[in-house]
Amino acid sequence: LVPSVLVKSVNPAPVSVDINAKLKYQDLLWAGVSWRAFDSFVGLVGMSYEQFTLGYSYDAGLSRLSPFHGGSHEVLVGLRLKKKAQAVCTNRFW
């Protein structure tokens, strides 16, 4: 389980808070949910293989604007560029 919180402040918009949780399975598959306070709910799924990532998310609106849109879809395609392996910290905790 990978929880996270994002607090975003951009003037003149109000402060936005996202609460997220992602469940990973063997560093291959992942699924999660996200809630943007008083605005939207998001479901997401994806997979990662070596340096490649493919994901999909659906954002359902919860605000007063939700009757005017059908939500939004997002497709994620990622490529992680590998560097030479180097020991930065030998402590396995980090």
Side-chain angles (χ1 to χ4, degrees):
L1 180 65
V2 182
S4 65
V5 174
L6 170 68
V7 178
K8 182 172 42 175
S9 175
V10 178
N11 195 16
V15 173
S16 173
V17 178
D18 294 10
I19 300 172
N20 316 290
K22 184 165 69 171
L23 189 60
K24 293 173 69 175
Y25 176 72
Q26 295 185 354
D27 287 330
L28 177 65
L29 302 173
W30 47 269
V33 293
S34 180
W35 177 70
R36 179 168 293 136
F38 314 110
D39 185 55
S40 62
F41 179 78
V42 180
L44 47 118
V45 294
M47 65 178 295
S48 299
Y49 180 72
E50 294 183 2
Q51 73 266 28
F52 302 102
T53 300
L54 180 63
Y56 168 78
S57 68
Y58 177 74
D59 186 332
L62 300 175
S63 71
R64 293 183 307 206
L65 296 175
S66 62
F68 303 102
H69 66 82
S72 64
H73 302 269
E74 181 177 329
V75 175
L76 166 75
V77 178
L79 172 64
R80 184 178 304 122
L81 302 175
K82 292 185 176 184
K83 291 184 176 183
K84 286 184 178 179
Q86 55 181 334
V88 176
C89 178
T90 58
N91 186 343
R92 296 290 294 174
F93 178 78
W94 300 105

